[in-house]
Amino acid sequence: MSATIAVLGGTGPEGFGLARRWVQAGETVIIGSRDAKRAQDTAAKIKAAVGASARVSGEENIAACAAATLLVLTIPFEGHAALLKQIKPALRSGSILVDTTVPLAASVGGRATRTLGVWQGSAAQETAELAPQGVPVVAAFHNVSADLLNAVDPVECDVVVCSDDPQAGQTVRLLAAKIPGVRAIDGGKLENARIVEQITALLIGLNIRHKGHSGIRITGLPAAAYGG
Amino acid sequence: MSATIAVLGGTGPEGFGLARRWVQAGETVIIGSRDAKRAQDTAAKIKAAVGASARVSGEENIAACAAATLLVLTIPFEGHAALLKQIKPALRSGSILVDTTVPLAASVGGRATRTLGVWQGSAAQETAELAPQGVPVVAAFHNVSADLLNAVDPVECDVVVCSDDPQAGQTVRLLAAKIPGVRAIDGGKLENARIVEQITALLIGLNIRHKGHSGIRITGLPAAAYGG
């Protein structure tokens, strides 16, 4: 993959885990954060973990967006709309906006096992409303446990990818498949993100109840469906 | 399991598949239908498939309810509330109401890949509101493909079981585990059914897109979580 990936919110556990996995796979990643210094510290941590060949740097969010064409939002829902409005001027036509956000009720002081109703149907659809024309939105990675991303084993989880732009969806499925263990599945239109986002709240409940790091596998599809 | 199981809507593909699997496992099942004759014909079909030892009969829905203590609703959402009101007088305290219903938009002429918003949060919570006191509601089996139930192979799908009554939930997890291949997982409170129900619409979309009979497996939990 030749595109540079900016992971916005890459100093948090989900963003850090995704960024580290992609850097390990040889991708070029920019960690984005409100605080450039924290982003650089996080990049240094990834470099220390992956080795000297690692292509990773840290930037303030807007600078990160300006330098990348694959932008991955990994911030909590409470900062979601505000960040999108802030980065909008830096989004270039042809860039892809990957949204991993789950509208957990924890965002407003509720439980992480419940979700908020989002007017547009899902966080990803809210993103699509806020994104400029020419910047397709792809929903993905919601169900992948940050703990598993940050461990060393392959990740036992499928990634259901939803987008109204088939080509952008395919690009993100290829990106997902770079994480060992992950199988990327075309989940159809962006509106289906509302279900994929909800699944995360169910998995968080299972983690609490059964003390695990749960994920999902989709069974029963022909082999080609798991091929990216 | 000593309880007699009434499968209401047992003449449809999901109900038929569940009933046949349970009869195969040695359970006593009554097929319930609006039409006693159709219920008896369906029971005869199961008997022919399973063999002479099969304990299965057919009854009109209310008679089926009166003769069983485990009542499994497998009717489409459009008939859900009406059936509940109709059978309510036949429900005895101590019986368990198992709801498999998914509020698909197909119920009102929409798509089977979308769901309707249910005021109570989910079809299962609507059921809980309509059920008499002393009859716990358990949500389960939403994600199990009727096609796979009606085939001969083990069913490659986990069943997430949600209930506000832990004992009723456990009874239903044991019932689920009688289907070869199925692992039953405690999904917590009934309110979580709203997510499990939605997953079915996602799986239907995957089936259409990829031409399969999809299901889900939950990964990453300790072995005890899959034990019923």
Side-chain angles (χ1 to χ4, degrees):
Chain A
M1 208 159 274
S2 54
T4 296
I5 306 162
V7 180
L8 309 181
T11 57
E14 184 83 10
F16 181 86
L18 287 169
R20 198 197 55 143
R21 295 283 186 168
W22 286 325
V23 172
Q24 253 165 351
E27 298 297 317
T28 303
V29 174
I30 304 171
I31 301 290
S33 169
R34 267 175 305 186
D35 179 344
K37 175 70 171 67
R38 279 191 64 208
Q40 285 150 14
D41 290 351
T42 300
K45 253 166 72 181
I46 292 177
K47 200 160 191 127
V50 175
S53 66
R55 289 199 297 266
V56 57
S57 56
E59 302 270 10
E60 190 278 332
N61 279 323
I62 292 180
C65 284
T69 53
L70 255 168
L71 314 172
V72 186
L73 295 173
T74 65
I75 54 156
F77 183 62
E78 58 268 34
H80 184 252
L83 179 68
L84 279 164
K85 287 172 192 166
Q86 194 202 334
I87 64 172
K88 192 169 176 176
L91 299 180
R92 288 172 291 162
S93 180
S95 289
I96 296 173
L97 204 47
V98 184
D99 198 351
T100 75
T101 311
V102 178
L104 297 178
S107 295
V108 293
R111 296 186 190 172
T113 57
R114 290 174 172 170
T115 56
L116 299 170
V118 179
W119 192 269
Q120 294 85 345
S122 60
Q125 290 166 287
E126 183 185 65
T127 298
E129 193 177 280
L130 293 169
Q133 281 261 322
V135 177
V137 174
V138 181
F141 304 109
H142 310 87
N143 306 326
V144 182
S145 152
D147 288 290
L148 297 185
L149 284 172
N150 287 302
V152 292
D153 290 333
V155 174
E156 271 288 323
C157 191
D158 290 340
V159 168
V160 179
V161 178
C162 302
S163 181
D164 294 336
D165 183 315
Q167 210 169 346
Q170 199 194 359
T171 299
V172 175
R173 292 201 300 280
L174 291 171
L175 189 65
K178 292 197 170 266
I179 302 171
V182 165
R183 302 183 304 181
I185 299 170
D186 181 358
K189 285 193 175 279
L190 194 69
E191 64 175 42
N192 297 333
R194 73 185 78 192
I195 304 177
V196 184
E197 292 175 8
Q198 306 283 323
I199 291 173
T200 303
L202 183 72
L203 295 178
I204 291 172
L206 293 176
N207 290 347
I208 295 170
R209 194 168 312 105
H210 300 289
K211 303 191 197 317
H213 300 297
S214 60
I216 57 159
R217 289 291 194 197
I218 304 291
T219 60
L221 298 181
Y226 303 105
Chain B
M1 206 158 274
S2 55
T4 297
I5 306 161
V7 180
L8 309 180
T11 57
E14 184 84 10
F16 181 86
L18 287 169
R20 196 197 58 143
R21 294 282 186 169
W22 287 325
V23 171
Q24 254 165 349
E27 299 295 317
T28 304
V29 174
I30 304 171
I31 301 292
S33 169
R34 270 173 304 186
D35 179 344
K37 176 69 172 67
R38 278 192 64 207
Q40 286 150 13
D41 291 349
T42 301
K45 251 167 75 178
I46 293 177
K47 202 161 190 124
V50 175
S53 66
R55 290 199 297 267
V56 59
S57 57
E59 303 268 10
E60 189 279 331
N61 280 322
I62 292 180
C65 284
T69 53
L70 254 168
L71 314 173
V72 185
L73 295 172
T74 64
I75 54 157
F77 183 62
E78 59 267 33
H80 184 252
L83 179 68
L84 279 163
K85 287 172 193 167
Q86 192 202 337
I87 64 172
K88 193 170 177 176
L91 299 179
R92 289 170 291 161
S93 180
S95 289
I96 295 172
L97 204 46
V98 184
D99 199 350
T100 75
T101 311
V102 178
L104 296 179
S107 294
V108 293
R111 297 188 190 171
T113 56
R114 291 174 170 169
T115 56
L116 299 170
V118 179
W119 191 269
Q120 295 86 344
S122 60
Q125 289 166 287
E126 183 185 65
T127 299
E129 193 179 279
L130 293 169
Q133 282 261 321
V135 177
V137 173
V138 181
F141 304 109
H142 309 86
N143 307 327
V144 182
S145 150
D147 289 288
L148 296 185
L149 285 172
N150 287 304
V152 292
D153 291 332
V155 174
E156 272 288 323
C157 191
D158 290 341
V159 169
V160 179
V161 177
C162 302
S163 181
D164 294 336
D165 184 315
Q167 214 169 343
Q170 201 192 0
T171 299
V172 175
R173 292 201 301 279
L174 291 170
L175 189 66
K178 292 197 171 266
I179 301 170
V182 165
R183 304 183 304 181
I185 298 171
D186 181 359
K189 285 192 177 282
L190 194 68
E191 65 176 39
N192 296 334
R194 73 184 78 191
I195 303 177
V196 184
E197 291 175 6
Q198 306 283 323
I199 291 172
T200 303
L202 183 72
L203 296 178
I204 291 171
L206 293 176
N207 291 347
I208 295 170
R209 195 167 311 105
H210 300 288
K211 304 192 195 315
H213 300 298
S214 61
I216 56 159
R217 290 292 195 196
I218 304 290
T219 59
L221 299 179
Y226 303 104

